[in-house]
Amino acid sequence: MAPSSYFLLAVLLALVAYQANASDPSPLQDFCVADKHSPVKVNGFVCKDPMAVNADDFFKAANLDKPRDTMKSKVGSNVTLINVMQLPGLNTLGISLARIDYAPLGENPPHTHPRATEILTVLEGTLYVGFVTSNPNNTLFAKVLNKGDVFVFPEGLIHFQFNPIHDKPAVAIAALSSQNPGAITIANAVFGSKPPISDDVLAKAFQVEKGTIDWLQAQFWENNHY
């Protein structure tokens, strides 16, 4: 094979690898407002006819300035996510937003976003936050954040936020690098899957008695995303 052919092959492979690693594809036009009623199934949403698009497709009266109810959550937090499902104009733009309210001693429990990096800023209160790196090191990077501080959670890594103050709530805003970042809460996925994971499997994985696993699986693992 000629040197020029090798070069073209290398460029092609690099482009393919880049697209394979991208969370959300780059837009090929100014916008692609999601047509959620289309029967066509694609990775994301089909574009709405541009001639039918209006300003409301890029707008949502989300009332993100208003406190959310954290009392009904067993973990003491309430995540209000604005993604492409709530705001069709986000389709193909690779970004979404969340307001997170924390009760005193409330937490957004360990979870991961399979399709997004997250950057979080504290609007009110104090948060202890952190993420854990992948195997084999499983290093914890953690920090106490105060009002105005910013922290970033790399894509796909397990992370958390906890309000360590017993008498004051906290509020944060997070931006995520996907129109649909997804969320996998670790405890919910492991102990609350439907159907349940075999207690033999989990007892071996966590090196505990099966009775402990059975007790954990019997708990109500709720979703704190509303």
Side-chain angles (χ1 to χ4, degrees), residues 24 43-45 82-85 90-96 176-181:
D24 286 2
N43 183 22
F45 290 97
I82 307 298
N83 64 8
V84 69
M85 300 304 295
L90 286 175
N91 193 40
T92 75
L93 298 185
I95 194 168
S96 55
L176 300 109
S177 63
S178 171
Q179 69 182 43
N180 186 24

Side-chain angles (χ1 to χ4, degrees), residues 148-192:
D149 290 341
V150 176
F151 198 83
V152 66
F153 306 103
E155 180 176 343
L157 297 187
I158 295 172
H159 59 284
F160 62 87
Q161 302 108 36
F162 172 69
N163 178 7
I165 308 302
H166 76 278
D167 59 352
K168 292 182 180 178
V171 182
I173 287 286
L176 300 109
S177 63
S178 171
Q179 69 182 43
N180 186 24
I184 302 171
T185 304
I186 306 307
N188 299 38
V190 173
F191 300 114

Side-chain angles (χ1 to χ4, degrees), residues 68-149:
R68 266 44 179 185
D69 181 11
T70 57
M71 299 302 294
K72 62 182 179 181
S73 169
K74 292 175 68 174
V75 295
S77 65
N78 187 322
V79 179
T80 305
L81 177 65
I82 307 298
N83 64 8
V84 69
M85 300 304 295
Q86 291 82 34
L87 189 57
L90 286 175
N91 193 40
T92 75
L93 298 185
I95 194 168
S96 55
L97 178 75
R99 173 187 169 121
I100 313 161
D101 290 76
Y102 310 84
L105 301 180
E107 71 172 7
N108 192 11
H111 63 283
T112 177
H113 300 294
R115 296 180 290 276
T117 293
E118 175 181 350
I119 185 167
L120 176 141
T121 183
V122 179
L123 299 184
E124 296 292 342
T126 299
L127 291 175
Y128 170 64
V129 308
F131 66 86
V132 179
T133 63
S134 55
N135 298 349
N137 293 333
N138 300 132
T139 303
L140 171 65
F141 291 90
K143 195 82 175 173
V144 174
L145 306 183
N146 295 302
K147 182 176 179 179
D149 290 341

